[in-house]
Amino acid sequence: MGPILIFDKSFLESLSPDEAVWLDQFFLTNITPLFFVETLADLEKNARFGRSPEDVVGSLAYKTPDLHSKANVHHRSLLEGELSGEGEIDMEHGRPHIGGGKYVELGGQTGAFFEASPEEEALKRWQGHKFLELERFYAKQWREGLSNINLDGIYSQYQTSFAGRPKPKTLGEVKAMVDKVIDGPEQEQVLVTGLASIGVAPKFLEEIIARWRVAGQPPIRQFAPYFTYVLSVDLFFMFGIGSDLIGRGRPSHKIDVAYLYYLPFCMVFTSNDKLHKALVPIFLRSNQSFISGEELKSDLKKLDAHFDAIPPEAKERGVYAFAPAPPHDNSFLTTQLWDKHMSSRWREIKGNLKPNPNSPAGKEIMAKIKDLEEKVKTEGTTQPTKPGESDQLVIKRMVSGKRGKWTRFPPEVMNRRKNANGEWEDIPSK
């Protein structure tokens, strides 16, 4: 599946459908809620270059990864879970946080089953220019909300933060200032102020403070690492505005910065946005990479040309079969990212995969998946049946068999369908 990658809308807009195939093939993309909302909001834009807003959104939906992708839970839901003490947020390994799963015990093992998320289902509709009236309403509300962001107000408020002290001269100095505030001696005040800034109701604020005190009043970074991270992003943006290091001319800057809320949940972040290019490297862990959108697009184009040169009989096997991993040639940026972020054994992956869904092993796997799905319908719970990772995990989704000029799967996969009983069968040849 490749390194876990987050992209913004500006990057996906720059890709051709053929280039988007290789993005989906060689990266596991973590799709943020912001991407879905920004894409939908294009419905409220004026027509441009002879294309309707529906055409623009449909084109983006068509290029959005659907095979190796996951839709991340909204950051507010993650904050609620962490601050209530119900769950810890992994901040170190760059993994997406997905929701909607149901859990069961099956044959002495734990199983998790994930249906396609509402966002993934919406993307399929958008490809066919099918939009719900509620989605059009949200698009309008988003556009109106964007126009009401007052960066000048933030500037005036945070100018006072530098009273009696020199203004930061670089964004690195802004980050140091934010860390100093967060790690200061008045930890309870930092917690209270931070909770108020993200809109926590007074009742829940008191409950969280009480839980912090019972825990022995540990440093806020230890008590709620993700909350602390989100707070640091917000303070960084506001101090950056107040110190004239982040411009006030584009209200969308506030949205661009919100992509950083999801930065801990990837290995690679890519964007063409100037603000992202300036800010993301400051927040990266040592085990993460920032790649400009232009660089990655160029590499995906190069990969497309590389695989386009293989023999036609190999292409007939489908992208998934003949290109399970990028070329071993280190001149490819994607190859370099696999070397950095994947197991060193990835180069042992063999191509020309020949899945046989009718083999005994294939039938056994499909039977297990069906058993898990059926049991989830009657006994599934929204909480894991046992602590730790599940023994079996199934993610159900609809995937395009073809995209751009490429067929993605072998004939024995493409030539199958579900019958009236919901069972997979071969399509009879004519």
Side-chain angles (χ1 to χ4, degrees):
M1 287 186 283
I4 298 168
L5 176 142
I6 286 179
F7 59 84
D8 72 340
K9 187 165 77 77
S10 71
F11 170 69
L12 197 67
E13 285 174 325
S14 74
L15 298 184
S16 71
D18 294 334
E19 292 160 356
V21 167
W22 302 109
L23 173 70
D24 198 3
Q25 182 66 10
F26 294 140
F27 295 92
L28 195 167
T29 51
N30 180 351
I31 307 180
T32 70
L34 284 169
F35 169 78
F36 289 109
V37 177
E38 278 197 296
T39 298
L40 183 62
D42 277 350
L43 284 177
E44 284 298 304
K45 280 188 174 181
N46 295 324
R48 48 184 174 172
F49 307 117
R51 303 174 70 201
S52 70
E54 289 79 6
D55 287 337
V56 172
V57 176
S59 174
L60 273 171
Y62 179 70
K63 294 187 288 186
T64 301
D66 62 0
L67 177 60
H68 298 136
S69 64
K70 294 191 170 64
N72 207 93
V73 173
H74 197 282
H75 75 279
R76 292 197 67 88
S77 297
L78 296 177
L79 287 171
E80 288 169 3
E82 180 182 66
L83 291 169
S84 66
E86 293 180 357
E88 296 182 359
I89 309 298
D90 181 359
M91 299 282 290
E92 298 298 325
H93 298 98
R95 297 171 180 168
H97 288 255
I98 59 177
K102 290 190 175 181
Y103 303 85
V104 292
E105 286 192 42
L106 186 66
Q109 294 183 317
T110 58
F113 191 91
F114 290 81
E115 294 278 1
S117 70
E119 294 90 347
E120 291 164 340
E121 292 179 347
L123 283 170
K124 293 299 179 186
R125 282 191 290 100
W126 298 351
Q127 288 182 26
H129 294 192
K130 297 176 183 178
F131 303 95
L132 304 179
E133 285 303 312
L134 184 61
E135 290 172 337
R136 293 183 183 275
F137 172 76
Y138 282 147
K140 184 176 182 179
Q141 292 293 102
W142 170 266
R143 284 286 165 198
E144 291 177 353
L146 194 61
S147 65
N148 292 329
I149 293 175
N150 184 4
L151 297 185
D152 285 325
I154 294 175
Y155 178 76
S156 299
Q157 178 183 354
Y158 278 83
Q159 278 277 296
T160 60
S161 302
F162 308 115
R165 70 178 81 176
K167 277 187 181 182
K169 296 180 180 178
T170 67
L171 291 173
E173 290 181 6
V174 172
K175 181 63 164 59
M177 180 179 179
V178 168
D179 290 341
K180 186 175 181 179
V181 169
I182 289 177
D183 296 326
E186 300 297 330
Q187 288 288 279
E188 182 168 340
Q189 185 59 47
V190 171
L191 181 57
V192 171
T193 302
L195 293 172
S197 71
I198 63 173
V200 175
K203 174 187 175 182
F204 297 112
L205 189 150
E206 292 173 3
E207 292 178 0
I208 294 167
I209 296 297
R211 193 169 72 83
W212 174 71
R213 289 172 177 162
V214 168
Q217 302 183 14
I220 303 306
R221 289 188 189 276
Q222 177 183 328
F223 175 71
Y226 184 60
F227 162 77
T228 306
Y229 172 80
V230 170
L231 177 60
S232 72
V233 170
D234 286 343
L235 288 177
F236 181 90
F237 178 65
M238 291 182 284
F239 286 155
I241 290 281
S243 58
D244 292 303
L245 293 170
I246 297 177
R248 307 190 302 277
R250 293 181 57 194
S252 61
H253 277 343
K254 185 69 174 71
I255 310 306
D256 295 333
V257 168
Y259 270 94
L260 271 68
Y261 296 157
Y262 302 92
L263 181 60
F265 313 133
C266 72
M267 300 170 181
V268 182
F269 190 104
T270 188
S271 171
N272 286 320
D273 184 82
K274 290 182 179 179
L275 193 63
H276 284 157
K277 291 177 180 179
L279 269 55
V280 170
I282 294 174
F283 283 85
L284 288 179
R285 301 186 305 267
S286 60
N287 62 347
Q288 291 180 298
S289 302
F290 176 81
I291 304 297
S292 75
E294 295 92 345
E295 285 184 277
L296 187 53
K297 173 184 168 60
S298 177
D299 195 62
L300 295 174
K301 183 177 181 179
K302 182 179 174 183
L303 285 166
D304 188 61
H306 171 83
F307 288 109
D308 204 21
I310 69 174
E313 57 270 23
K315 291 180 185 177
E316 291 176 0
R317 295 297 303 159
V319 168
Y320 196 74
F322 69 74
H328 293 183
D329 182 352
N330 283 338
S331 70
F332 289 95
L333 174 60
T334 299
T335 303
Q336 297 170 29
L337 292 171
W338 274 59
D339 280 337
K340 178 177 178 179
H341 297 289
M342 301 293 286
S343 164
S344 60
R345 298 185 63 185
W346 76 262
R347 290 174 180 264
E348 300 174 16
I349 298 174
K350 303 297 183 182
N352 297 316
L353 301 177
K354 295 183 178 180
N356 183 358
N358 293 317
S359 69
K363 289 181 178 179
E364 181 181 356
I365 291 172
M366 294 306 298
K368 285 184 177 180
I369 291 174
K370 187 174 181 180
D371 289 346
L372 178 60
E373 185 174 8
E374 290 300 319
K375 191 165 186 180
V376 159
K377 291 178 182 178
T378 57
E379 302 179 28
T381 66
T382 56
Q383 295 295 326
T385 55
K386 293 180 181 178
E389 297 185 356
S390 298
D391 298 309
Q392 303 174 44
L393 173 67
V394 174
I395 300 178
K396 186 177 180 180
R397 61 181 59 194
M398 295 294 291
V399 178
S400 302
K402 293 185 177 181
R403 179 163 291 175
K405 66 189 177 194
W406 294 102
T407 298
R408 303 171 78 184
F409 305 105
E412 57 266 36
V413 175
M414 294 290 289
N415 297 329
R416 284 173 68 79
R417 67 184 178 189
K418 278 191 174 182
N419 60 27
N421 298 322
E423 298 171 335
W424 285 99
E425 63 180 11
D426 294 331
I427 299 174
S429 58
K430 297 182 180 179

